[in-house]
Amino acid sequence: MRYHQPTRDYVNRKTKEGKGKMEIIRCLKRFIAREAYRALISIRRGRTPLNKPPAERGRRLRELCVTHGITQQQVSDALGVHSSRISEIERGTRNLPELERRATLWIQTITTPNQPNQHAETLDNV
């Protein structure tokens, strides 16, 4: 609260909202706990935050959409989220790895041609 400028700005903002020092400290502790939890979960899932920055992953999602002619609106409608979330991921301004994963999976699902049924092929050859 003394030295970290973004935290100082946060404290000033909360003070102007009428919150007391103890309540502000409680809010800061909750923020830190959420950040630590997200980091631990990503490590547990095998994804460390240092793998690729959000901007790089966002470019990958954007390239996937452009390659297959899919709009942000189509992705957001399919996933039930606002299109601004997809835009934020693509621009790298927001780190939403789970939504990014769902979007990539959806695009791959609709663009991957169906694998032919091997049983049907053997019947055709008979």
Side-chain angles (χ1 to χ4, degrees):
M1 287 175 58
R2 287 185 193 152
Y3 305 109
H4 187 245
Q5 190 58 47
T7 304
R8 291 171 65 184
D9 296 340
Y10 177 82
V11 169
N12 288 335
R13 197 170 53 248
K14 291 298 178 181
T15 303
K16 288 178 185 175
E17 291 175 8
K19 296 201 184 298
K21 184 176 179 179
M22 294 307 291
E23 193 171 0
I24 294 170
I25 291 172
R26 181 187 59 81
C27 291
L28 287 171
K29 286 179 181 179
R30 290 182 71 188
F31 177 80
I32 292 168
R34 283 192 303 270
E35 289 295 310
Y37 176 78
R38 287 185 192 123
L40 290 171
I41 292 300
S42 68
I43 291 168
R44 182 178 183 188
R45 291 180 179 162
R47 296 183 296 241
T48 59
L50 302 175
N51 280 349
K52 292 183 183 175
E56 187 177 329
R57 293 191 326 262
R59 278 192 297 275
R60 182 178 167 272
L61 178 62
R62 181 71 191 141
E63 289 170 4
L64 194 60
C65 287
V66 170
T67 301
H68 297 290
I70 298 170
T71 65
Q72 290 176 352
Q73 190 63 49
Q74 289 171 316
V75 176
S76 64
D77 288 345
L79 300 179
V81 297
H82 198 276
S83 61
S84 64
R85 294 293 169 258
I86 305 303
S87 175
E88 290 169 341
I89 292 170
E90 289 181 353
R91 290 181 285 130
T93 58
R94 195 155 213 198
N95 189 16
L96 299 169
E98 182 58 27
L99 182 57
E100 177 187 334
R101 185 192 65 77
R102 288 175 47 215
T104 303
L105 183 63
W106 179 78
I107 293 168
Q108 290 170 345
T109 301
I110 66 164
T111 58
T112 304
N114 291 335
Q115 297 296 323
N117 186 344
Q118 290 179 349
H119 183 68
E121 285 180 7
T122 57
L123 290 176
D124 289 341
N125 293 334
V126 173

